[in-house]
Amino acid sequence: FPMIAKREHTKNIDPLYNIALKEAGLLDANGKISQENKIDLITVTEGPGLEPALWVGITFAESLGGIWDSPIIPVNHMEGHIVTSLISKENSEENKEDSEENSENLFIKKISYPALALLISGGHTELVKINKLGEYEILGSTRDDAVGEAFDKVARLLGMTYPGGPEISKYAEVRVLEKGNIPPLYPLPRPMLHSKDLDFSFSGLKTFVLYTLKKIPKITEDDKKEIAYEFQNAVIEVLLAKTLEAGQKIGVKDLIIGGGVTANTQIREAFIKMAEQEDFNLHLPEKSLAGDNAFMIAIAGFLKYQREKKSTTSAIRARGNLSL
Ligand code: KG4
Ligand code: ZN
């Protein structure tokens, strides 16, 4: 419901802005931004996403830019997920010489290019070749539902609350604790596992779950655990196989996994194991920054500004279908 989303954004953005400034300690005794705390740079999501909601952010950013006389950097949401996985609190020994210091204690990890990113969120599932930050090629993407969307839809079929990802993950974890990794009671397919490309498809998996559930006379908690476990395994197997294939194809050393679904513990563990076996340097976001947040847009915009040394001169447009 784009119009409801827009209305909620409009209602929330001003109070949110005030809370953010307050929490960041930028306000003086009169509740105003003091001169020494002036904001030097504004970054804003231009897309992809729901255009009416994007417009709210863009209009807000533009009025702040006018008041503060600060440049505004439009940011691709998915680039935000990529750079979030590259944030480190430590400046590692090998990075020390030329890593870019972005604040007192945050660093962007130095990686070798080309690198590969797997982006898994509620709206996207894509494998991206990164020639350098700002220069991307999509190698494969989902033909229908995104991974997060599949998690949410399967969770709904199982009567769980939104967002479904964390719920499914919990049920799957309990299944492993209770029964170990014994074969699944309700086997599910591994969609596109052997397709000759790097695309994904998850809507068939959801339909398969639907038909499986229809055959069960009375769905118990145990059934839910079984389905959650097997669904998650099916997803993990396909994600691992396609990512490995892409990584080997373009010969990368650094592997970045980003997007809200990377909050999933079992998915993280599966990639950590794969990276060890295949000798990739793996970059995952901190769990608290895996899902959408404003910080990722700030960092991505800041890096873009450093790279390009300029802000946009023309008006920013909401670009609902913007790709990397
Ligand atoms: O990146 P994100 O916050 O928003 C979009 O850009 O779409 O991703 C949200 C998605 C939702 O579909 C949510 O169910 C999924 O990430 N998600 C998870 C987990 N936590 C969030 N999926 C699987 N396991 C989780 N623990
Ligand atoms: Zn996202």
Side-chain angles (χ1 to χ4, degrees), residues 77 81 121-123 148-149 151-152 163-166 169 259-261 263-264 290-292:
H77 178 90
H81 280 304
S121 70
E149 192 178 358
F151 265 94
D152 296 334
S169 172
V261 181
N264 183 292
D292 290 354

Side-chain angles (χ1 to χ4, degrees), residues 111-223:
I111 58 170
S112 43
Y113 296 104
L116 177 69
L118 170 71
L119 300 178
I120 40 178
S121 70
H124 288 77
T125 302
E126 54 194 17
L127 280 162
V128 184
K129 182 179 171 200
I130 308 177
N131 294 321
K132 58 181 184 186
L133 283 186
E135 217 180 283
Y136 309 103
E137 273 172 62
I138 310 279
L139 304 174
S141 52
T142 182
R143 297 189 180 171
D144 39 59
D145 292 354
V147 185
E149 192 178 358
F151 265 94
D152 296 334
K153 287 178 175 172
V154 167
R156 194 157 152 192
L157 293 175
L158 295 173
M160 298 167 181
T161 49
Y162 179 87
E167 289 281 298
I168 299 247
S169 172
K170 264 186 255 158
Y171 273 76
E173 228 166 296
V174 176
R175 152 60 152 91
V176 176
L177 284 177
E178 288 176 356
K179 297 189 195 168
N181 282 310
I182 60 165
L185 188 57
Y186 306 112
L188 295 173
R190 270 56 179 158
M192 309 273 287
L193 190 58
H194 301 294
S195 70
K196 297 250 176 303
D197 51 32
L198 294 170
D199 284 348
F200 302 87
S201 163
F202 292 104
S203 86
L205 196 53
K206 164 204 68 193
T207 312
F208 210 100
V209 169
L210 176 68
Y211 289 131
T212 304
L213 290 171
K214 278 193 174 158
K215 284 186 222 142
I216 308 173
K218 192 172 179 310
I219 298 156
T220 63
E221 282 295 291
D222 210 50
D223 292 327

